[in-house]
Amino acid sequence: MHPVLEFRGVTKRFGTLTANDAVSLTLDKGEVLALLGENGAGKTTLMNILFGHYQADEGEILVDGNVLEPGSTQAAITAGVGVVHQHFTLAGNLTVLENTTLGTESLWSWRQDNKGAREKLVSLAESYGLAVDPDAQVSDLSIGEQQRVEILKALYRDARILILDEPTAVLTPQEAERLFATLKSVSQSGLAVIFISHKLHEIMAISDRVAVLRRGALVGTVATGETDSAKLAELMVGQVVKRPELVPLDAGKPILELGGVSTPGDGATSLHDVSLTIHAHEIVGIAGVAGNGQGRLADVLSGLIGGFSGSVKINGAPLAAGSPRDVVASGVGRIPEDRHARGVVGDMEIWENLASEDLRAPELSRGAVFINKAFGVSRAEQQIQEFDIRCEGPFAETKLLSGGNMQKLILARALSGQPSFILANQPVRGLDEGAIAYVQSQLLNARKRGAAILLISEDLDELMALTDRLAVMSHGRLSEALPTGSRTIAEIGLMMAGQSAEQQVA
Amino acid sequence: MSDLIDILLTAGFWAATIRIVSPLIFGTLGELICERAGVLNLGIEGIMTVGAMSGWMWVYQGGDLWGGVLFAAGMGALFGLLHAIFTVHLGLSQHVTGIGITLFASSLSYFVFRMLLPSATTPPKIVPFQSLSIPRLSDLPWLGEALFSQSALTYLAILCVPAVWYVLFRTPVGLAVRMAGENPVAVEAQGINVLAVRTGAVMVGSAFMAVGGAFITMSWFDAFYFGMINGRGWICVALVIFASWQPGRALLGALLFAGLEALQVRAQQSAGAFIPYQFFLMLPYVMSILAMIFMAHKTKYPQALLVPFRRGERV
């Protein structure tokens, strides 16, 4: 009896980076295998090799004991491999049925069997509890529903091995529960499931067995019943990393005051009547599913957009709306959501990126025309040391930094001026454990010295651990910020899905 | 005003409109197919010139008319392949490549024409497609002259509208083309080669464009001369946007524009040209800009239009 799926010594290199290092792994029928590892550990690369997006440099993959043709998505699909990618591969302007049937019929047929396809889709949806309207346009569906379409796509093609890449990253806690129920019923019907994640509690809840990847290599495979979160964390990170803890502090005077802020437009990404006050010595978190107005709020507070109604005050003075330079000068430190796109200019040198926010400061500018490079470089050297940015020095190209070190650069730039308000938008996304602990401890240090901090995150665990008060954003509206811990995760999840507290009671 | 109504009631006006609309239908359908697959083809102006020259030249050198149409389509597909190599396979800018193809294809057409016919002073002529009489229908009073006195190529153009619609919206290959223009990663994930789908779509679309050009020299006029495409390719690009990438609406938009052009010629004669003809030439662009303003939020334009797809790239 062959295992359904077997990796034999799979190795993949990108330049000098070894993304997968001789990975050998098996998967049995009806089993849910969790693939655990930090960002950059090689989980997605391994699955992309299985699905034919990449070709392995060494090793082979066997399905039912037969070698899978490398580099061919078609071969993987034919062999029964179905993948739900982290970023959905759906066309929003097309219907569920069209998205599902693409590639299932011979391209050179004169007509499409839509009737048969619809029947098959509906019966699959019913038997797995994945209710979805075949004629709905995909862009009209919620993220959870879109994920169901992705699973249906795989099932429609008679997948026997279902792979889900970080499937809960975009879901509310309730949607995640529903997904877990689906995965249970799918595996009971005989499919083998690979569940990729770095969230330990999910893995403990859903999997039969856990395979742990670290820096591309398989460091261990354990039965879920014989391990616990702490052991898995240590296996994943390679050492015991403790995240810093929030110590209670008395809140000081109000630093940031938002009163009835609205931005133009009526979509979910615009702000509607947002009010919030953050005091000194306080971290306030905003939870929410991506795309519910968090980005717009961050834009307002960063000074990137000026067209809004309502009032924003920093230390009692109105925010210099629409002028990033004045916003920074008024004591705002900004950690943007997307390091690469908005945080740094990758092609410029480290000292230039470090100097980019206060170019007009008297020490840095010579008569507002020339830059005092000597000062910029020497300050950069100090900051590199102080914030432990691992690099070749101030003249190294910024894009060569790892994610964690790039984030340290941004922290150095944002925090060196001792800002009284810090906007931290997804500050630890995509970082490894060591870097996460570093970023979080820097934020806690700033809180200790008296800064007010707004932490926007999609990771509820992070918010629960790191904030004094927590508000939920949904469709551009912000709930009241209550002390963290006064609402349960389930309540917060429902609020993320757009239900107000009153509706929940009713 | 009554002048205008008089013009609209003449069968000749409608016959002219339908003749003028034919190359626009071919061109617009061609551009629509390319853009549905995610590739803007600004080579259209040059590819229509290639079609106009090569189809005409085929017949002038002794070939038959339908052979000329096929030859023009083949040449168009060849330039489409060139466009696809740059934009689909190498992932270069679709704007820059398209303009380059237009410049290259037009100049090459004039060059070949001059090389083959170095001494021609008055443009040499061929015997073009004749109007095809349809039994019974062509004999109808008024309607017969207005609608059923056209050449076979015109009827073909009109038949192509439902045909292209059917292929795009009712066949598996059409679904693959549309999906390639919406989300190429989804196409790849279903085991279909995105580059092949896009290349094929651009080649077929370019063949349509070339037939549109050939119509002008082989069915509308009987000679090839310089500058005779005269911006019709750009009009097709605008019409695709006006049509929100729908073949049926493309036909309507093209008819509207062709009607305006037929009208302006007649209005100039009867109304003493109180409106400069450039005004009418401007209209389709104004229409498209207005359409874009009003439909910007509603139009479902192909989401991956202008976005190159590179296989196996780290994401």
Side-chain angles (χ1 to χ4, degrees), chain A residues 48-55 71-73 85, chain B residues 185 188-189 311-312:
Chain A
N48 277 335
I49 293 170
L50 168 60
F51 203 51
H53 286 328
Y54 301 149
Q55 280 201 32
S72 165
T73 303
H85 291 276
Chain B
V185 182
E188 190 75 20
R311 190 165 190 272

Side-chain angles (χ1 to χ4, degrees), chain A residues 3-218:
Chain A
V4 178
L5 176 68
E6 184 175 3
F7 292 89
R8 279 192 191 157
V10 172
T11 297
K12 175 72 185 172
R13 299 181 196 90
F14 293 104
T16 57
L17 173 83
T18 304
N20 287 140
D21 190 1
V23 175
S24 295
L25 192 61
T26 60
L27 180 69
D28 290 320
K29 193 166 179 263
E31 183 184 36
V32 179
L33 174 75
L35 194 54
L36 175 68
E38 294 202 88
N39 287 292
K43 298 166 296 192
T44 301
T45 303
L46 191 64
M47 293 306 119
N48 277 335
I49 293 170
L50 168 60
F51 203 51
H53 286 328
Y54 301 149
Q55 280 201 32
D57 296 315
E58 286 160 35
E60 58 188 11
I61 297 171
L62 289 84
V63 178
D64 295 325
N66 304 314
V67 176
L68 188 66
E69 181 191 339
S72 165
T73 303
Q74 190 68 59
I77 292 172
T78 310
V81 179
V83 178
V84 176
H85 291 276
Q86 193 173 356
H87 305 285
F88 300 152
T89 55
L90 296 170
N93 281 340
L94 304 186
T95 66
V96 171
L97 190 66
E98 287 175 320
N99 271 286
T100 312
T101 53
L102 172 72
T104 57
E105 290 181 60
S106 158
L107 276 187
W108 303 115
S109 143
W110 275 110
R111 54 180 299 277
Q112 237 163 321
D113 181 17
N114 276 335
K115 190 159 166 282
R118 180 176 282 109
E119 277 166 14
K120 182 172 175 185
L121 184 63
V122 168
S123 81
L124 271 175
E126 272 171 14
S127 57
Y128 289 106
L130 293 161
V132 65
D133 171 14
D135 298 308
Q137 196 181 307
V138 166
S139 59
D140 292 337
L141 303 179
S142 73
I143 298 289
E145 287 172 314
Q146 291 188 15
Q147 191 172 58
R148 267 173 252 157
V149 176
E150 281 283 38
I151 296 173
L152 278 172
K153 255 169 76 178
L155 296 174
Y156 187 91
R157 306 206 71 169
D158 305 320
R160 292 172 304 118
I161 302 163
L162 184 62
I163 296 154
L164 298 106
D165 192 356
E166 303 268 358
T168 59
V170 291
L171 302 182
T172 64
Q174 281 79 10
E175 285 174 326
E177 286 299 323
R178 186 163 173 184
L179 170 69
F180 291 163
T182 303
L183 293 186
K184 287 227 164 80
S185 82
V186 163
S187 67
Q188 270 158 18
S189 72
L191 268 81
V193 177
I194 299 182
F195 182 89
I196 302 176
S197 182
H198 62 269
K199 293 184 184 165
L200 297 165
H201 64 267
E202 288 176 356
I203 283 176
M204 294 304 295
I206 184 74
S207 68
D208 302 317
R209 207 154 53 96
V210 188
V212 185
L213 280 175
R214 192 197 314 149
R215 296 207 188 106
L218 191 70

